[in-house]
Amino acid sequence: MTTTHTDAYERAIFRLWLNWVVSAASRFVPIVLSVMLPTLTIPLVTLACMGLLMLYQHRFNSNDISSCMLFPSIGIRSLGVSAFIMIVISLIYSKGIITRYYDENLLNFQIPYLTVLIIAPVTMTMGIVALIRGHKWSACRNCSMMFGDYAERGFVGKLLNQERKYQVWFHITIAAFMTVIGYTYYTLEYVNVNLNNADKVVFGWLPAVIYVLSCIFLAMRYFTMWAYYMQNTRGGISRFGASTAVRYIILGRDDSFWLTNEPGSPDFPDSDALDTPATIVCPYREEISLGEAREIFERLSGIGTHDFTLRFMYRSEMQGLDSNIIHFIVTLPDPSVIDRSLLSSGKWYDFKQIDKLKFKRRLSPQLMSEIARLYTVTMAWKTYDANGKRLYRVKHYHPAFRLKGIENWDVDFDSPLWLNVARYNQDKPFYRLRRFWQRRFTRT
């Protein structure tokens, strides 16, 4: 059965809440159990939660365009780092290293650390790092390789992009609150002998209550969001139906792009944003042959079929799984023909100008995604082989970015292969280890 737009919206909203429930639980479980189990068992519990969260991410990160795995990936890293810190502290105590710096009578070897005082600041730090890295975070890059940038997924993509930031900020706020409360109580009230009832409340049960309240709060938020979208978008969605957007990147000499201020896509009608003028929306097509694409561009532009060359670039999903975008590259051996075409209201921009416009946010989200893929795949293909090994002996050498002859290149822009090579190659630290991890635990 074909997945509808409404189904995609509902699934995206539900998955956002489910990701929070599962991911936050994996961090709160070790904290709650730490006031009931021997402290030395908590690293095992933490690693077990990390393993279960990895299985959860592995199950959902490669087969659903409506799922965002940013928050689970933050949880995996947080749990791994927290477990490492716990093990190090336990070894320092068990080997007697701590006694070189502190009086043994002041130490409690049964409780070498308090779990919440490790997990809370670590998760807060990981959340901040994820916000700083933005779309460079590994989970976001994997998602872009599999499904395209958020701008290429229409409403669902924009929803996930908005809520991933909200969840991370919400997570940082909770972690910061637990860190402040935990360390304040530890400094002013805690006695390093055993855990009394007040200690258990602060270091175990209070975080549990916060977790439950966070789940309830987000359930209310996403239910309200679901009700709003179902009420305000269902009619429009059913009228719009399944569709395919066809986009053409127009290239001239000297790696220049033909762009216009006119809105190139009905999804992004910002008149200030530059975009390709060659776009069209038609009834849903899973694929469009090169012959059909050539005919569409000829009708759209008025340029004769002998005056341009065309190649397929890539395909991306949009909104629900019954809508998509198919991207093509058009090269004009004689750029002057466009001045006599139906697309004459535009201007040529070289790549340096494109880079400046991107920095100023003058390009449409769709165009930025296309240019990012074009640049990334081109540079990876020119620099490395399919296994990520350098084609040149000079380490970190990258050839100049040139698009001459792109219509004849033997490279697949639609495959995630070269996007993977751009991330996992010989010029990256721990290349073999990272490539093994990527092959074993991701499905890109």
Side-chain angles (χ1 to χ4, degrees):
M1 179 180 295
T2 303
T3 303
T4 67
H5 295 284
T6 304
D7 293 337
Y9 298 161
E10 291 178 333
R11 189 168 61 252
I13 292 173
F14 173 72
R15 282 283 170 77
L16 285 167
W17 181 77
L18 181 63
N19 284 347
W20 176 271
V21 171
V22 175
S23 304
S26 68
R27 276 160 276 188
F28 281 97
V29 166
I31 294 174
V32 175
L33 292 181
S34 67
V35 300
M36 296 183 285
L37 299 177
T39 304
L40 296 179
T41 64
I42 301 304
L44 296 177
V45 174
T46 305
L47 290 173
C49 289
M50 183 184 76
L52 292 174
L53 191 55
M54 289 175 66
L55 289 175
Y56 172 79
Q57 185 186 37
H58 191 59
R59 168 64 180 83
F60 288 109
N61 74 347
S62 63
N63 59 2
D64 196 341
I65 193 173
S66 303
S67 182
C68 175
M69 285 293 121
L70 172 62
F71 194 57
S73 72
I74 294 174
I76 291 171
R77 296 192 183 192
S78 300
L79 291 169
V81 173
S82 299
F84 175 77
I85 295 174
M86 294 175 195
I87 292 172
V88 170
I89 294 175
S90 298
L91 289 174
I92 290 174
Y93 269 79
S94 63
K95 300 298 182 181
I97 299 175
I98 190 69
T99 58
R100 300 177 187 176
Y101 306 97
Y102 295 94
D103 186 351
E104 185 174 351
N105 295 322
L106 300 177
L107 302 174
N108 185 345
F109 286 83
Q110 300 301 315
I111 310 177
Y113 55 82
L114 295 167
T115 304
V116 68
L117 301 186
I118 295 176
I119 292 182
V122 168
T123 56
M124 179 182 66
T125 302
M126 284 295 173
I128 294 173
V129 171
L131 283 180
I132 293 174
R133 288 189 60 80
H135 291 286
K136 294 181 180 179
W137 187 266
S138 61
C140 297
R141 285 191 172 186
N142 288 336
C143 188
S144 295
M145 284 190 289
M146 289 182 289
F147 305 125
D149 191 77
Y150 78 93
E152 297 171 318
R153 287 181 274 164
F155 173 79
V156 169
K158 288 185 281 188
L159 170 67
L160 294 178
N161 186 58
Q162 167 192 300
E163 289 304 308
R164 74 179 183 87
K165 296 176 182 177
Y166 181 87
Q167 284 196 355
V168 174
W169 272 114
F170 190 44
H171 149 80
I172 292 173
T173 302
I174 291 175
F177 175 77
M178 291 195 303
T179 300
V180 172
I181 293 296
Y183 274 97
T184 300
Y185 181 86
Y186 179 83
T187 303
L188 301 178
E189 300 292 338
Y190 179 66
V191 179
N192 193 23
V193 177
N194 55 25
L195 293 176
N196 57 37
N197 290 333
D199 299 337
K200 292 180 179 180
V201 169
V202 174
F203 298 135
W205 302 120
L206 178 60
V209 172
I210 292 174
Y211 166 70
V212 173
L213 291 177
S214 72
C215 292
I216 295 174
F217 171 77
L218 287 180
M220 295 171 60
R221 173 182 173 83
Y222 291 133
F223 176 79
T224 303
M225 189 179 295
W226 170 83
Y228 172 81
Y229 287 123
M230 291 305 102
Q231 179 180 357
N232 291 277
T233 65
R234 184 183 295 273
I237 290 168
S238 61
R239 288 192 300 270
F240 186 74
S243 66
T244 291
V246 185
R247 293 174 53 87
Y248 300 87
I249 298 179
I250 304 175
L251 302 177
R253 293 173 183 169
D254 302 321
D255 307 321
S256 55
F257 296 75
W258 183 258
L259 305 178
T260 179
N261 280 98
E262 295 178 359
S265 168
D267 288 325
F268 303 99
D270 186 353
S271 60
D272 291 329
L274 291 166
D275 198 3
T276 175
T279 66
I280 190 171
V281 177
C282 59
Y284 178 76
R285 300 283 301 277
E286 186 172 347
E287 294 181 356
I288 292 180
S289 68
L290 286 177
E292 291 175 293
R294 182 179 293 275
E295 292 177 5
I296 292 173
F297 182 76
E298 189 175 1
R299 293 197 304 269
L300 194 64
S301 65
I303 298 176
T305 186
H306 299 295
D307 293 325
F308 67 90
T309 59
L310 180 141
R311 68 164 292 166
F312 171 70
M313 190 177 180
Y314 69 103
R315 177 181 180 273
S316 54
E317 299 291 345
M318 182 177 67
Q319 295 179 336
L321 297 182
D322 58 350
S323 291
N324 58 10
I325 310 173
I326 302 179
H327 310 257
F328 292 92
I329 296 174
V330 171
T331 54
L332 302 178
D334 179 11
S336 64
V337 300
I338 204 165
D339 296 326
R340 305 184 296 273
S341 73
L342 300 176
L343 307 176
S344 58
S345 58
K347 181 181 176 181
W348 290 109
Y349 295 86
D350 61 33
F351 197 74
K352 289 184 179 179
Q353 292 173 311
I354 291 288
D355 201 40
K356 292 179 181 179
L357 290 168
K358 180 181 178 181
F359 179 76
K360 295 178 181 179
R361 299 183 180 275
R362 287 289 315 281
L363 304 179
S364 72
Q366 287 278 14
L367 183 64
M368 285 195 294
S369 299
E370 291 166 337
I371 292 176
R373 180 178 286 249
L374 180 65
Y375 179 84
T376 303
V377 172
T378 297
M379 296 307 294
W381 176 69
K382 286 188 173 184
T383 309
Y384 310 98
D385 66 15
N387 294 315
K389 295 182 179 179
R390 288 188 298 271
L391 299 177
Y392 306 91
R393 293 185 177 181
V394 182
K395 191 174 183 180
H396 296 296
Y397 169 76
H398 295 279
F401 178 72
R402 294 286 185 269
L403 298 174
K404 185 177 181 180
I406 189 173
E407 64 274 11
N408 299 317
W409 288 358
D410 184 21
V411 58
D412 186 359
F413 287 93
D414 195 38
S415 170
L417 170 65
W418 295 106
L419 298 174
N420 261 324
V421 169
R423 294 186 58 204
Y424 305 102
N425 56 68
Q426 275 190 313
D427 289 328
K428 302 292 185 181
F430 309 107
Y431 157 64
R432 290 183 175 82
L433 178 61
R434 293 174 62 172
R435 189 164 181 82
F436 168 78
W437 182 271
Q438 182 266 338
R439 285 179 171 179
R440 180 64 182 85
F441 294 107
T442 66
R443 300 181 188 179
T444 57

